[in-house]
Amino acid sequence: MEPMASAREKNIKIRKRPTQKRSAERVDRILLYAARIVEEVGIEEFSTNEISRRSGVTIGSIYHFFPNKEAIIHELCVRWLDKITDKYIEFERLRLNGEDTELYWGSLVDSLLSGYRETPAVHAVTRAIAIWPDIHELDVQYDETALVRVGSYLRETGVTASKREMRRLSKVVLNMLHHLIMLAIDSSEKDAKKIRDDLVSSLQRLTERYQ
């Protein structure tokens, strides 16, 4: 087993971004099997040797793109943040009327829920974001953008508040979305539906309180 060093002790970014289709497919395969292994054994225990064994990608090819296994986790985190950002953009393209708060919040929750479910090893990814300073900095940047987006959603649903209060409400909404969606993806299909509906109802009530 390879020791998991502090992220700040290493270069944890992808060494070379693939420009050709074949190379991109190889990187995708590395990440796919890395995510599967991480889901099984955790971020501390997985190894590049095991990725190579399962994926059929040589160790040399893995290190051609990634300087170490921390860089693989970093790339999984980057892709997750990009995916969730894409889900916000996808929701915004619907251009829904904020007056129908159930449809509005329900559509946002469903969009984000699909993004979380589509993310390999999402629990390990969110854990890495929480404990690794370099990756956490990425998350802070993402959160700042997400707070602006959520603030605009609140305004579209009729919420009026000072700039400071709107930021506070946006943080509340962002945390509700993340934690309850994580709970939903860990639950049975029946319970996940209830959690989804409870989340939408909670967002509706919050909106009504501050209109």
Side-chain angles (χ1 to χ4, degrees), residues 179-190:
H179 291 294
L180 289 180
I181 287 175
M182 288 293 287
L183 181 60
I185 65 175
D186 280 340
S187 303
S188 66
E189 184 177 349
K190 182 178 179 180

Side-chain angles (χ1 to χ4, degrees), residues 20-210:
Q20 297 181 347
K21 182 180 178 181
R22 187 175 178 183
S23 296
E25 289 174 349
R26 188 173 298 139
V27 168
D28 289 345
R29 187 171 180 83
I30 292 167
L31 294 172
L32 172 64
Y33 281 88
R36 290 178 180 175
I37 296 166
V38 167
E39 284 181 328
E40 294 175 15
V41 302
I43 59 175
E44 291 85 0
E45 301 295 327
F46 92 107
S47 69
T48 51
N49 285 334
E50 186 64 9
I51 295 171
S52 177
R53 186 183 73 80
R54 294 203 199 181
S55 68
V57 179
T58 66
I59 284 288
S61 290
I62 292 173
Y63 284 111
H64 177 72
F65 294 105
F66 299 99
N68 46 59
K69 64 180 185 177
E70 288 85 354
I72 296 173
I73 294 293
H74 183 276
E75 184 65 15
L76 286 171
C77 293
V78 168
R79 291 193 177 201
W80 178 65
L81 293 173
D82 286 346
K83 178 178 284 291
I84 299 305
T85 298
D86 287 344
K87 292 298 179 180
Y88 279 113
I89 294 170
E90 179 182 296
F91 165 73
E92 290 164 5
R93 285 175 179 160
L94 295 176
R95 299 189 179 277
L96 297 173
N97 188 336
E99 293 180 4
D100 186 341
T101 55
E102 181 178 4
L103 175 61
Y104 192 88
W105 292 120
S107 297
L108 176 61
V109 170
D110 290 341
S111 183
L112 293 177
L113 189 55
S114 69
Y116 277 66
R117 283 178 171 155
E118 292 165 9
T119 300
V122 66
H123 292 87
V125 165
T126 55
R127 181 168 177 262
I129 285 173
I131 65 175
W132 285 0
D134 290 50
I135 300 177
H136 183 66
E137 288 172 9
L138 285 176
D139 190 45
V140 169
Q141 296 171 18
Y142 158 82
D143 278 351
E144 284 301 315
T145 302
L147 286 172
V148 173
R149 291 183 184 278
V150 170
S152 70
Y153 305 158
L154 287 167
R155 284 189 289 273
E156 286 180 12
T157 56
V159 172
T160 56
S162 66
K163 184 176 180 180
R164 181 177 179 180
E165 181 67 356
M166 189 66 79
R167 183 175 176 82
R168 184 189 70 81
L169 291 173
S170 298
K171 287 182 178 180
V172 170
V173 170
L174 202 57
N175 277 279
M176 288 171 63
L177 288 167
H178 174 69
H179 291 294
L180 289 180
I181 287 175
M182 288 293 287
L183 181 60
I185 65 175
D186 280 340
S187 303
S188 66
E189 184 177 349
K190 182 178 179 180
D191 286 347
K193 175 66 166 58
K194 290 180 179 179
I195 293 166
R196 180 264 183 205
D197 292 345
D198 288 343
L199 175 53
V200 173
S201 295
S202 297
L203 291 169
Q204 283 184 276
R205 288 195 295 273
L206 183 145
T207 300
E208 291 166 0
R209 181 179 178 184
Y210 291 95

